[in-house]
Amino acid sequence: MILDAAVRVFARDGFHTSRVGDVAVEAGVAHGLLYHYFSSKDELLTTIFRETWDSLLRALREVETSREPAPEQLRKVCAIVLRTWKREPDLVRVLVREVARSPQLGREVNEIAEAFAAIERLVERGQARGELRAGPEPRLAAVIVYGALEEILTGWVLGQLPDGDEDVALAEEAVVGVICSGLAAVPVQTTLSA
Amino acid sequence: MILDAAVRVFARDGFHTSRVGDVAVEAGVAHGLLYHYFSSKDELLTTIFRETWDSLLRALREVETSREPAPEQLRKVCAIVLRTWKREPDLVRVLVREVARSPQLGREVNEIAEAFAAIERLVERGQARGELRAGPEPRLAAVIVYGALEEILTGWVLGQLPDGDEDVALAEEAVVGVICSGLAAVPVQTTLSA
Amino acid sequence: MILDAAVRVFARDGFHTSRVGDVAVEAGVAHGLLYHYFSSKDELLTTIFRETWDSLLRALREVETSREPAPEQLRKVCAIVLRTWKREPDLVRVLVREVARSPQLGREVNEIAEAFAAIERLVERGQARGELRAGPEPRLAAVIVYGALEEILTGWVLGQLPDGDEDVALAEEAVVGVICSGLAAVPVQTTLSA
Amino acid sequence: MILDAAVRVFARDGFHTSRVGDVAVEAGVAHGLLYHYFSSKDELLTTIFRETWDSLLRALREVETSREPAPEQLRKVCAIVLRTWKREPDLVRVLVREVARSPQLGREVNEIAEAFAAIERLVERGQARGELRAGPEPRLAAVIVYGALEEILTGWVLGQLPDGDEDVALAEEAVVGVICSGLAAVPVQTTLSA
DNA sequence: AATGAATGAGTTTTCATTCAT
DNA sequence: TATGAATGAAAACTCATTCAT
């Protein structure tokens, strides 16, 4: 299928660097055919993003609306994001490298913001319920969680982190551990004095 | 200077979208002159990256070799990275948007790995000295810290996070707080049971 | 056809002087189309050379494997080479002016060596059979024959030798005459005494 | 010296392919300096040609006006041309590859024509005196001699012919032998019957 | 649906040449 | 003499996109 081919090619070469012809070759069709299904190269990327992000968002919202305690919800969020890697590595590659920080993809940013917002609400509610420490801004906390997850994915994408099944479980645990319990051996004074 | 002009132009228009001629105009020179100093458009980006990263690395190493306790070192690392935004916003824009997803320039470049390694060593030593909690893998902890910082920078670059002076201080505090003390209100069981 | 257009343009303007666009105009297509069929301007020249040379080689081999006496074979070789001028003057122009002195395309190309080798074998066999004088090294004899032919073609290309039909026949006869019978009125002592 | 450097560079890379900067580097001077001595890249080539060709022409004329028999004169011509290779290989390379058949060098062609003319007169006189066989057109004979010599030089330039001291002597002998006595074992009928 | 030849605007890159110093 | 920064015309080449078949 053409979209799958596009995902593979964009994952391998990067969106800007890869040519429409490369996608066609990978898909085993003439490049003219792409234009029956997609109006432009950009639409390929947009479509990949949209078809994928929705299902991620749905999963996040499901977690968000569950009755579980916030730390457990956070754990689930990490699991959802990180486990995608094993199932769809190329997709993750593209989402992480091309879509997430491409300014020209404009409105899609809104949908990414949705993911942030879901995590943000989750943190907010956790703090309100006393399940999470009240200090950190929910928004920033969400950004930190997202960044940590994305960076681990990037490490896998670039082959700089081991990604065996146990490694994935380990990473999940590490993120949850660090984000929830912190790295400090003893409670630290977190007010910046510099 | 040509490199500065390149940073401004790439920050404004994106690397792929901007033309060599634009950089020349911004620098106030003929485009041919660029090729006296840089062998290609790509080399412009590479050079921007390397010159910046070198100074970042030097700063990280300085922190690493200081005698301060690990949590304080972590705080300094966060400060160094995040404060770059105010000093050199265009540079950060370019690094976040272009370098992070350039396949060829990619992270394979040793220099990025160096930054990870520095943080990793910092965590390792902190754990050895009992200043940091021993659970999380140093490598993963480093990735998480780096990801959190990069994502905050990304939020600023994309205008999705407020970046007033107080916001920057707040972000610093939040990262240190989350990374060091965790989000949890009470110590949590971090062993994954899924 | 694009290659024919290229031959005409290169013959008219010289390879280095003519632009890819000129070839496209001559062929009546957009210049971009050239790059569907040839990866570069150089490949145009290379292809012209190879396609031509192949047919020349085939002709030479046919002569070589004929049962005729070597002098007759030599005569045929001369005829083949020299008569190309009348049939395909532009092609000869390009080969003489561009290929013969292109460093990269150079003679290193096996194909040219093949032509020499064919003549060399022809001479060798002729000497073995007693049809040709045994003195001269076959290799050198081949070089001399080839050089004489190429120089006559060059004379025609540069307009320094008359090339009417009778002139061509005359040239053929002259080469065969000189090469086979020599210029000397009486047998000369050929051992160099300097 | 700049001209020597130019000869080396043109010999190595070809005139069109080599850049003025290459010549400057080879000469160990700034490329701007070239323009104090030569008004253009073309003038470099022209100058090389002129400074060299004159001495060749003088040598040829000296042979021509000697009282020796024509075969001996021919032998001397061959010696002059071929022995240049050992003394000035790069120069020969340039003359053979770039100058000899470059149409744009326009008027210099006249000077090349002089060389042909000298050999032509030599042959003519030889035939008139009965020292050379009367059949072949003097003009064509000159072209053949010149072509044979050039091709041998080319063989040396391209490393396809051995060029040890004995090889050079052998080549000289071969050219003289073939040109004067012919390749034929027995006198052949040279009238073309095809 | 499918092909792939054809287009051409848009870019990077090259390099001879100039000129202030 | 000598330098090398600076110029800019000129070219090669790319590639998304169109369209006849």
Side-chain angles (χ1 to χ4, degrees):
Chain A
M1 204 261 218
I2 290 175
L3 271 185
D4 294 334
V7 167
R8 286 194 296 277
V9 171
F10 294 164
R12 179 184 0 110
D13 300 336
F15 175 73
H16 277 107
T17 316
S18 46
R19 288 151 310 159
V20 171
D22 297 335
V23 175
V25 166
E26 175 78 24
V29 300
H31 60 285
L33 188 55
L34 298 199
Y35 290 89
H36 270 278
Y37 298 105
F38 306 96
S39 68
S40 72
K41 186 187 169 191
D42 275 308
E43 219 204 30
L44 273 176
L45 190 56
T46 307
T47 307
I48 288 170
F49 170 74
R50 259 205 283 274
E51 299 210 345
T52 314
W53 206 255
D54 276 355
S55 82
L56 176 68
L57 268 189
R58 247 177 286 120
L60 289 185
R61 288 206 185 101
E62 205 166 312
V63 169
E64 194 196 338
T65 54
S66 77
R67 308 262 158 165
E68 296 163 307
E72 182 55 27
Q73 286 181 326
L74 268 182
R75 180 192 310 268
K76 289 234 167 97
V77 167
C78 294
I80 287 169
V81 174
L82 294 182
R83 286 174 191 181
T84 311
W85 167 249
K86 277 304 188 185
R87 277 204 321 269
E88 307 255 35
D90 284 335
L91 196 53
V92 171
R93 244 180 264 260
V94 173
L95 294 178
V96 162
R97 291 211 297 216
E98 307 301 337
V99 182
R101 52 189 72 175
S102 160
Q104 54 266 56
L105 248 58
R107 72 164 58 101
E108 279 78 18
V109 171
N110 281 332
E111 299 181 72
I112 298 184
E114 273 301 303
F116 277 94
I119 306 181
E120 188 182 341
R121 287 189 301 267
L122 185 161
V123 169
E124 214 165 8
R125 239 173 271 136
Q127 291 178 327
R129 294 195 210 123
E131 294 162 0
L132 295 179
R133 194 158 56 76
E137 268 252 51
R139 183 72 174 281
L140 282 168
V143 171
I144 291 167
V145 169
Y146 184 92
L149 294 174
E150 190 182 281
E151 196 65 36
I152 288 177
L153 291 175
T154 302
W156 289 336
V157 163
L158 300 179
Q160 290 166 342
L161 281 181
D163 67 345
D165 284 341
E166 341 71 50
D167 297 307
V168 173
L170 217 63
E172 225 170 288
E173 196 177 341
V175 177
V176 174
V178 170
I179 297 292
C180 289
S181 306
L183 275 174
V186 296
V188 277
Q189 156 94 27
T190 61
T191 313
L192 203 68
S193 48
Chain B
M1 204 260 218
I2 290 175
L3 271 185
D4 295 333
V7 168
R8 286 194 297 275
V9 172
F10 293 166
R12 186 199 335 126
D13 302 335
F15 176 75
H16 282 103
T17 316
S18 46
R19 290 153 297 164
V20 171
D22 296 337
V23 175
V25 166
E26 174 78 24
V29 299
H31 68 279
L33 186 57
L34 298 199
Y35 291 90
H36 260 285
Y37 299 105
F38 306 96
S39 66
S40 70
K41 186 187 169 192
D42 273 308
E43 218 204 36
L44 274 176
L45 190 56
T46 307
T47 306
I48 290 169
F49 165 72
R50 256 203 279 272
E51 299 209 344
T52 309
W53 210 255
D54 274 356
S55 86
L56 175 69
L57 270 187
R58 248 176 285 121
L60 289 185
R61 286 200 188 107
E62 206 166 311
V63 169
E64 196 196 339
T65 54
S66 75
R67 308 262 157 162
E68 298 162 307
E72 182 54 27
Q73 287 181 327
L74 268 181
R75 180 192 309 267
K76 289 237 167 94
V77 167
C78 295
I80 287 169
V81 172
L82 295 182
R83 286 175 191 181
T84 310
W85 169 246
K86 278 305 189 184
R87 272 208 326 272
E88 306 255 34
D90 281 340
L91 203 48
V92 171
R93 261 183 262 267
V94 173
L95 293 179
V96 162
R97 291 208 302 221
E98 308 302 339
V99 177
R101 63 199 159 100
S102 153
Q104 60 270 45
L105 187 67
R107 275 137 205 281
E108 57 265 62
V109 182
N110 265 335
E111 269 119 334
I112 299 188
E114 274 300 305
F116 278 93
I119 305 180
E120 188 182 343
R121 288 189 299 266
L122 187 160
V123 170
E124 214 165 10
R125 239 174 271 137
Q127 293 178 327
R129 293 197 210 121
E131 293 161 0
L132 295 179
R133 195 157 57 75
E137 268 252 50
R139 183 74 175 280
L140 281 168
V143 171
I144 292 167
V145 167
Y146 184 93
L149 294 174
E150 194 183 276
E151 195 65 35
I152 288 176
L153 289 177
T154 302
W156 289 336
V157 164
L158 299 183
Q160 292 164 342
L161 279 182
D163 67 345
D165 284 340
E166 340 71 52
D167 296 306
V168 173
L170 219 63
E172 223 172 289
E173 198 177 339
V175 178
V176 174
V178 170
I179 298 293
C180 289
S181 307
L183 275 174
V186 297
V188 277
Q189 157 89 27
T190 62
T191 312
L192 204 68
S193 48
Chain C
M1 203 262 215
I2 289 175
L3 271 185
D4 296 333
V7 168
R8 285 194 298 276
V9 171
F10 294 163
R12 186 198 336 124
D13 301 334
F15 175 73
H16 282 104
T17 315
S18 46
R19 289 154 299 163
V20 171
D22 297 337
V23 175
V25 167
E26 175 78 24
V29 299
H31 68 277
L33 187 57
L34 298 199
Y35 292 90
H36 261 284
Y37 299 105
F38 307 94
S39 67
S40 69
K41 188 186 168 191
D42 273 309
E43 218 203 38
L44 274 176
L45 189 56
T46 307
T47 307
I48 289 169
F49 165 73
R50 255 202 281 274
E51 299 208 346
T52 309
W53 209 257
D54 274 355
S55 85
L56 175 68
L57 271 187
R58 248 175 286 122
L60 288 185
R61 288 206 185 101
E62 206 165 313
V63 170
E64 195 196 339
T65 53
S66 76
R67 309 260 157 166
E68 298 161 305
E72 183 54 27
Q73 287 181 325
L74 268 181
R75 178 192 312 266
K76 289 235 167 96
V77 166
C78 296
I80 287 169
V81 172
L82 295 181
R83 287 177 189 180
T84 310
W85 169 246
K86 278 306 190 187
R87 272 207 326 273
E88 306 255 33
D90 280 340
L91 203 48
V92 171
R93 260 182 263 268
V94 172
L95 293 178
V96 161
R97 290 209 303 219
E98 309 302 340
V99 178
R101 62 199 159 98
S102 154
Q104 61 270 45
L105 189 67
R107 273 134 206 281
E108 56 265 64
V109 181
N110 265 336
E111 268 119 335
I112 299 189
E114 273 300 306
F116 277 92
I119 305 181
E120 188 182 341
R121 287 189 300 266
L122 187 161
V123 170
E124 213 165 9
R125 236 173 273 137
Q127 292 179 328
R129 291 196 212 120
E131 295 161 1
L132 295 179
R133 193 158 57 77
E137 268 253 51
R139 183 75 174 281
L140 281 168
V143 171
I144 291 167
V145 168
Y146 184 93
L149 294 174
E150 195 182 275
E151 195 64 37
I152 288 177
L153 289 178
T154 302
W156 289 335
V157 164
L158 299 183
Q160 291 164 343
L161 280 181
D163 67 345
D165 285 341
E166 341 71 51
D167 297 306
V168 174
L170 218 62
E172 222 171 289
E173 196 177 343
V175 177
V176 174
V178 171
I179 298 293
C180 289
S181 307
L183 276 173
V186 296
V188 277
Q189 157 92 26
T190 62
T191 311
L192 203 68
S193 47
Chain D
M1 204 263 220
I2 290 176
L3 270 185
D4 295 334
V7 168
R8 285 195 297 277
V9 171
F10 295 165
R12 180 186 356 115
D13 301 334
F15 175 73
H16 276 107
T17 316
S18 47
R19 288 149 312 157
V20 171
D22 296 336
V23 175
V25 166
E26 176 76 24
V29 299
H31 60 285
L33 188 57
L34 298 198
Y35 290 88
H36 271 278
Y37 298 104
F38 307 96
S39 67
S40 71
K41 186 186 169 191
D42 275 309
E43 219 205 29
L44 273 176
L45 189 57
T46 307
T47 306
I48 290 170
F49 169 73
R50 257 204 286 272
E51 298 209 345
T52 313
W53 205 256
D54 275 356
S55 83
L56 176 68
L57 268 189
R58 245 176 289 121
L60 289 185
R61 286 204 187 102
E62 205 166 311
V63 169
E64 194 196 340
T65 53
S66 77
R67 309 262 157 164
E68 298 162 306
E72 183 54 27
Q73 286 181 327
L74 266 182
R75 178 191 313 266
K76 289 237 167 94
V77 166
C78 294
I80 287 170
V81 173
L82 294 182
R83 286 175 191 182
T84 311
W85 168 248
K86 276 304 188 187
R87 274 205 323 271
E88 306 255 34
D90 283 337
L91 198 51
V92 170
R93 247 180 264 261
V94 172
L95 294 178
V96 162
R97 292 211 298 217
E98 308 301 340
V99 182
R101 51 190 74 174
S102 162
Q104 54 266 56
L105 250 56
R107 73 165 58 103
E108 279 77 19
V109 171
N110 281 332
E111 299 181 71
I112 300 184
E114 273 301 304
F116 277 93
I119 306 181
E120 187 181 342
R121 288 190 299 267
L122 186 160
V123 171
E124 213 164 9
R125 237 174 274 136
Q127 292 178 327
R129 292 196 214 121
E131 293 161 359
L132 295 179
R133 195 158 56 76
E137 267 253 50
R139 182 74 174 279
L140 281 169
V143 170
I144 291 167
V145 169
Y146 184 92
L149 294 175
E150 190 182 282
E151 196 65 35
I152 288 177
L153 291 177
T154 302
W156 289 337
V157 163
L158 300 179
Q160 291 166 343
L161 281 181
D163 66 346
D165 285 341
E166 342 70 53
D167 297 306
V168 174
L170 218 63
E172 225 171 288
E173 198 177 339
V175 178
V176 174
V178 171
I179 298 292
C180 289
S181 306
L183 275 174
V186 297
V188 277
Q189 157 91 25
T190 63
T191 311
L192 204 69
S193 48

